[in-house]
């Protein structure tokens, strides 16, 4: 798109140099390539700023430059591998692949942090054998970080192999860059990071340092929480229920595809018929005059109009950095918009990423009946709260003369409907005769009435018809003539004649809110037999997107559970980690409610990515606790020690991911420059990850002990049921 746009601009610049173009100026109404460039530039800046913030956070945690640079090495290495893979896969550096790289930046150091932290812990326990301690430290967490990386990657499998819609097709580009980057970071974390970590000085914490004091207080809390594990667990579950309540409440606005709010308005005039060019021009100039007279108040930069006999439309370009929102400007323009007799100007409602908006279709057989129903539906929907600019999708309706032959009267004169139709056709269009061949060539011969004999409806009513007996009768004697309006085109949906009704949304309304109101009003309208209605493509797209994303999330959760069950060789323990996904969703909606962010399809993308990220901390924590128990540590002490050992890398990985997303979360960078913004996706990841981390550090240890007790009770019950002796094996021996 960028290359084509550049070639077009270059060619137009050459064209404007031609002498024929003197006095003619070409304006660009839109140039998508500029938006793509702007989006790529904004993503690059946000990614670089996020990487610098992540580097600063790592240094604040590690307090050692060499260690910080070692961990940060995973970022450029992984991104370089990802770019090489994109080259071989034929993927360009576009707004989608760049988004994948941007999302990956905050997660690339996670594996390196976990591996290096465990290596340093082992080297402190065995300072005389740094290489042996490095190998042991790497081996201990290798399975956990591999499983954590797989859970992040595996959420994209339903997208790649599942049902295809436009969003899932786009996400494949995002998925490839994230998957390759994370696999590269896993490789460097298990190879290069241990090699470097075995040769650098171990960072030593000061006895009275901030993090040492934090760990001491956290240990006291942990002991208290484990003693009251049922209370803590119930409180956490209550928070989960509260979060789901917020999820379904009006506290968070939900709009899968929010209204497109780019600084440009499109206003079709919806002409009701075909008129002379002069009359259409007069109406357009009337509207343009009103807009230019209030250009400063409406923040209008330019107005471009196009019109012809049956169509007129104006494109209104707004100033780039105005004080008013696009929806506020629409309301201001509507307030005193001049009325024109030949049409009804209104604003088009467009969803982000789609030309479809709020609408429904009325279906039936008769266009005349449908037109009457459409007028009634247009009237009642205009009273629905939240809807604006309600209109019928009937373009260019025009006047026509309808001739209906009365078969009984025609039969009395010995005339058929076909004979009457042929006579009317000759009167209106004439009849071509055989060509006359003369000495100068062939001459076209046509039989037609004089112009002054076909000027009015009366002339047509008096059209003479001749019976088989030679009797002359007027057309009005055998037919009824009437003047009526009819649509210029007929639309069919599923082989049924259809008229669409479209509308816009108020600033504070969403499609999810107005849908039940529209449904209630339409159900109260008595439809004739054989006529029905259905929601338009905008609502269908919303429902389809939610359905597919819901299915993909369920499949992703199942795949994550399978990976964890294989890792822990148990079914009960993964359930506690899966609860982290539910708590992350709670965090998303809490954060959206606090920041008053609309939940859109970009937020759903963030939640999908979040599912694979939040379980990493739980996997690393539970795997370490299990390792300590295998080494002989009692369960209670293993939970406390394992959590304390992992609290630092967990906080580091979470903080680096959050600060890496922060520039994108507070910016207005949008997809392609004028598409949906990225910040709902970034905020979903930040809110969900932050809340789930708090739950992981507070409630997961208590969930671990409760689920472990339930697992042991289930095993004992199963053994008793089989009549086998109850014996403690495996992890139970350490208790």
């Amino acid at each position: 798109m960028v290359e084509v746009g550049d070639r077009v601009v270059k060619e137009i610049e050459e064209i404007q140099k031609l002498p024929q173009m003197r006095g003619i100026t070409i304006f660009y109404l839109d140039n998508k390539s500029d938006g793509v460039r702007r989006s790529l530039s904004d993503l690059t800046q946000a990614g670089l700023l996020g990487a610098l913030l992540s580097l600063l956070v790592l240094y604040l945690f590690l307090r050692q430059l060499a260690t910080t640079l070692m961990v940060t090495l995973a970022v450029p290495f992984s991104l370089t591998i990802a770019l090489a893979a994109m080259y071989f896969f034929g993927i360009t550096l576009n707004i989608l692949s760049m988004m994948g790289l941007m999302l990956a930046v905050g997660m690339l150091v996670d594996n390196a942090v976990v591996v290096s932290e465990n290596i340093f812990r082992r080297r402190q326990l065995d300072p005389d054998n740094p290489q042996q301690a490095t190998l042991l430290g790497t081996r201990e967490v290798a399975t956990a970080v591999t499983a954590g990386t797989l859970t992040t990657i595996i959420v994209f499998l339903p997208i790649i192999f599942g049902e295809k819609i436009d969003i899932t097709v786009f996400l494949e580009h995002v998925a490839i860059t994230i998957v390759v980057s994370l696999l590269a970071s896993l490789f460097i974390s298990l190879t290069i990071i241990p090699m470097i970590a075995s040769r650098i000085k171990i960072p030593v914490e000061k006895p009275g340092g901030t993090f040492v004091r934090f760990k001491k207080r956290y240990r006291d809390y942990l002991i208290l929480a484990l003693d009251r594990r049922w209370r803590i667990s119930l409180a956490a579950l209550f928070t989960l229920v509260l979060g789901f309540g917020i999820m379904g409440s009006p506290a968070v606005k939900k709009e899968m595809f929010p209204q497109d709010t780019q600084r440009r308005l499109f206003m079709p005039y919806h002409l009701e018929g075909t008129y002379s060019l002069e009359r259409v021009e007069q109406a357009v100039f009337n509207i343009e005059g009103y807009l230019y007279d209030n250009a400063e108040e409406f923040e209008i930069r330019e107005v471009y109009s196009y019109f012809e006999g049956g169509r007129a439309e104006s494109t209104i370009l707004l100033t780039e950095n105005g004080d008013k929102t696009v929806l506020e400007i629409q309301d201001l323009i509507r307030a005193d918009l001049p009325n024109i007799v030949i049409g009804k100007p209104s604003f088009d409602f467009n969803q982000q990423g789609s030309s479809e908006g709020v609408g429904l279709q009325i279906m039936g057989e008769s266009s005349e009946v449908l037109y009457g129903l459409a007028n009634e539906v247009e009237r009642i929907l205009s009273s629905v709260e939240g809807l604006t600019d309600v209109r019928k999708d009937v373009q260019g309706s025009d006047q026509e003369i309808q001739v209906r032959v009365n078969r009984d009267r025609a039969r009395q004169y010995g005339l058929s409907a076909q004979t009457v139709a042929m006579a009317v056709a000759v009167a209106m269009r004439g009849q071509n005769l055989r060509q006359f061949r003369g000495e100068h060539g062939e001459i076209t011969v046509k039989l037609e009435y004089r112009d002054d004999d076909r000027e009015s409806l009366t002339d047509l009513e008096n059209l003479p018809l001749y019976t088989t007996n030679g009797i002359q009768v007027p057309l009005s004697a055998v037919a009824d003539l009437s003047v009526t309006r009819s649509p210029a085109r007929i639309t069919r949906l599923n082989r049924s004649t259809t008229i669409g009704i479209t509308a816009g949304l108020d600033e504070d309304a969403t499609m999810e809110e107005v849908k039940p109101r529209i449904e209630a009003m339409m159900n109260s309208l008595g439809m004739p037999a054989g006529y029905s209605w259905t929601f338009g493509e905008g609502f269908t797209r919303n429902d389809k997107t939610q359905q597919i994303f819901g299915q993909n999330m369920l499949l992703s959760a199942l795949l994550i559970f399978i990976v964890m069950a294989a890792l822990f060789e148990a079914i009960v323990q993964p359930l506690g980690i899966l609860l982290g996904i539910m708590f992350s969703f709670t965090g998303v909606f809490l954060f959206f409610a606090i920041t008053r962010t609309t939940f859109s399809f970009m937020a759903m993308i963030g939640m999908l990515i979040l599912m694979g990220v939040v379980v990493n901390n739980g996997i690393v924590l539970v795997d370490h606790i299990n390792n300590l128990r295998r080494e002989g540590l009692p369960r209670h002490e293993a939970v406390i020690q394992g959590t304390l050992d992992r609290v630092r890398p967990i906080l580091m990985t979470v903080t680096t991911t959050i600060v890496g997303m922060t520039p994108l979360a507070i910016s207005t960078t949008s997809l392609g420059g004028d598409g949906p913004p990225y910040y709902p996706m970034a905020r979903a990841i930040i809110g969900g990850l932050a809340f789930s981390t708090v739950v992981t550090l507070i409630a997961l240890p208590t969930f671990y002990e409760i689920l472990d007790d339930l697992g042991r009770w289930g095993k004992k019950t199963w053994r008793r049921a089989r009549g086998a002796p109850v014996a403690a094996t495996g992890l139970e021996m350490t208790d």
Side-chain angles (χ1 to χ4, degrees), residues 126 177 237 344 435 440 445 459 487 514 526 529 559 569 657 709 724 730:
D126 189 8
T177 52
L237 292 175
K344 296 179 180 179
Q435 291 183 333
H440 299 292
V445 181
D459 292 334
V514 302
L559 293 172
E569 297 180 355
T657 302
D709 288 340

Side-chain angles (χ1 to χ4, degrees), residues 72-329:
T72 311
L73 181 65
V75 177
F77 179 87
S78 302
L79 294 182
T80 303
I81 296 297
L83 291 172
M86 289 168 57
Y87 173 79
F88 289 110
F89 284 133
I91 298 175
T92 61
L93 194 62
N94 53 57
I95 54 180
L96 299 170
S97 58
M98 181 68 84
M99 183 174 76
L101 294 175
M102 171 65 198
L103 292 172
V105 165
M107 299 183 287
L108 292 179
V109 298
D110 292 3
N111 292 332
V113 166
V114 173
V115 173
S116 60
E117 278 287 313
N118 203 58
I119 290 173
F120 292 149
R121 184 182 68 85
R122 278 295 176 183
R123 286 185 60 185
Q124 287 176 350
L125 297 176
D126 189 8
D128 297 330
N129 298 302
Q131 292 187 356
Q132 185 64 28
T134 299
L135 291 174
L136 183 59
T138 305
R139 190 181 302 119
E140 281 183 346
V141 296
T143 305
V145 295
T146 302
T149 303
L150 288 178
T151 56
T152 306
I153 292 173
I154 210 168
V155 298
F156 295 107
L157 291 183
I159 291 176
I160 296 174
F161 298 105
E163 184 175 354
K164 299 298 182 184
I165 57 174
D166 51 356
I167 297 175
T168 57
V169 171
F170 295 156
L171 280 178
E172 289 184 10
H173 291 257
V174 180
I176 290 174
T177 52
I178 292 179
V179 168
V180 174
S181 300
L182 291 179
L183 289 176
S185 73
L186 176 64
F187 172 77
I188 190 175
S189 299
L190 297 179
T191 55
I192 300 177
I193 295 298
M195 180 186 67
I196 300 175
S198 64
R199 289 168 172 78
I200 65 174
K201 184 180 178 181
I202 303 174
V204 180
E205 297 179 359
K206 297 180 180 179
T210 303
F211 199 76
V212 173
R213 295 197 303 271
F214 168 78
K215 286 182 69 173
K216 183 178 179 181
R217 293 182 181 177
Y218 180 59
R219 177 185 175 86
D220 295 338
Y221 159 76
L222 202 56
I223 294 172
L224 183 65
L226 291 174
D227 291 339
R228 296 169 172 80
R229 57 189 183 186
W230 282 104
R231 296 180 186 179
I232 297 295
S233 300
L234 290 175
L237 292 175
F238 175 77
T239 306
L240 185 63
V241 174
L242 180 64
F244 275 93
I246 296 175
M247 189 185 305
S249 72
V252 179
K253 291 181 64 175
K254 304 173 189 66
E255 187 76 65
M256 284 297 101
F257 300 92
Q259 186 166 180
D260 195 348
T261 56
Q262 58 180 309
R263 305 286 293 178
R264 180 178 62 188
L265 298 174
F266 180 70
M267 184 171 66
Y269 286 64
H270 304 293
L271 301 183
E272 298 177 343
T274 303
Y275 303 90
S276 65
L277 197 62
E278 291 77 12
R279 189 172 183 185
V280 177
E281 183 181 45
Q282 182 181 3
V284 171
F285 284 178
N286 186 23
I287 299 296
E288 279 192 346
Y290 164 73
L291 295 175
Y292 277 119
D293 290 342
N294 300 275
E296 184 175 351
E297 181 185 2
F298 298 157
E299 300 180 356
I300 293 176
R301 177 162 48 94
E302 297 286 350
V303 178
Y304 299 98
S305 298
Y306 170 84
F307 54 88
E308 55 187 8
R311 173 187 169 197
E313 56 197 36
S314 291
T315 300
I316 306 170
L317 303 183
L318 306 178
T319 55
E320 292 296 333
N321 300 311
D323 298 327
K324 303 180 183 70
T325 66
V326 174
L327 297 178
E328 289 174 345
I329 293 173

Side-chain angles (χ1 to χ4, degrees), residues 260-429:
D260 195 348
T261 56
Q262 58 180 309
R263 305 286 293 178
R264 180 178 62 188
L265 298 174
F266 180 70
M267 184 171 66
Y269 286 64
H270 304 293
L271 301 183
E272 298 177 343
T274 303
Y275 303 90
S276 65
L277 197 62
E278 291 77 12
R279 189 172 183 185
V280 177
E281 183 181 45
Q282 182 181 3
V284 171
F285 284 178
N286 186 23
I287 299 296
E288 279 192 346
Y290 164 73
L291 295 175
Y292 277 119
D293 290 342
N294 300 275
E296 184 175 351
E297 181 185 2
F298 298 157
E299 300 180 356
I300 293 176
R301 177 162 48 94
E302 297 286 350
V303 178
Y304 299 98
S305 298
Y306 170 84
F307 54 88
E308 55 187 8
R311 173 187 169 197
E313 56 197 36
S314 291
T315 300
I316 306 170
L317 303 183
L318 306 178
T319 55
E320 292 296 333
N321 300 311
D323 298 327
K324 303 180 183 70
T325 66
V326 174
L327 297 178
E328 289 174 345
I329 293 173
Q330 286 183 1
D331 292 336
L332 288 174
I333 294 175
R334 286 192 198 100
D336 298 309
L337 186 67
N339 293 323
I340 59 174
V341 178
I342 63 176
K344 296 179 180 179
S346 64
F347 295 106
D348 264 6
F349 172 83
N350 292 327
Q351 291 180 312
Q352 292 175 351
S354 172
S355 60
E356 300 291 345
V358 180
L360 52 87
Q361 284 97 29
I362 310 170
M363 295 172 288
E365 293 300 325
S366 171
S367 298
E368 185 176 354
V369 175
L370 284 175
Y371 195 82
L373 285 173
N375 288 330
E376 180 66 15
V377 171
E378 183 181 24
R379 183 186 64 80
I380 64 173
L381 289 187
S382 298
S383 63
V384 174
E385 183 182 358
L387 294 183
T388 61
D389 294 330
V390 181
R391 63 181 183 274
K392 304 181 296 292
D393 187 18
V394 180
Q395 296 182 353
S397 60
D398 225 338
Q399 285 188 328
E400 68 177 14
I401 299 175
Q402 294 185 353
V403 180
R404 291 184 174 87
V405 178
N406 188 314
R407 296 180 182 274
D408 293 333
R409 292 187 306 199
R411 192 179 301 111
Q412 293 176 2
Y413 292 103
L415 297 173
S416 65
Q418 182 180 4
T419 302
V420 175
M422 291 178 61
V424 173
V426 171
M428 300 301 295
R429 296 190 297 267

Side-chain angles (χ1 to χ4, degrees), residues 5 11 21 30 61 77 101 121 222-223 226 555 584 685:
E11 186 67 23
M21 296 298 293
D30 192 17
F61 271 99
F77 179 87
L101 294 175
R121 184 182 68 85
L222 202 56
I223 294 172
L226 291 174
L555 288 173
S584 70
I685 295 174

Side-chain angles (χ1 to χ4, degrees), residues 463-520:
L463 176 69
L465 303 174
Y466 293 90
T467 66
T468 54
N469 299 327
I471 301 175
Q472 177 181 323
V473 295
L475 176 63
S476 58
V478 296
D480 298 318
L481 283 71
S482 61
V483 179
T484 184
R485 284 191 176 275
S486 65
R489 70 177 186 185
I490 296 176
T491 304
R492 291 185 177 274
L493 179 66
N494 296 330
R495 302 177 66 183
S496 295
T497 306
T498 304
I499 291 182
I501 309 292
T502 59
L505 289 178
D506 286 338
E507 186 170 7
D508 297 327
T510 64
M511 293 183 69
E512 185 172 306
E513 292 172 348
V514 302
K515 183 177 181 180
R517 300 172 192 167
I518 294 175
E519 194 168 14

Side-chain angles (χ1 to χ4, degrees), residues 1-11 31 33 37:
M1 183 187 294
V2 173
E3 293 173 354
V4 172
D6 290 344
R7 290 199 295 268
V8 170
V9 171
K10 184 178 179 180
E11 186 67 23
N31 188 347
S33 62
R37 277 198 181 90

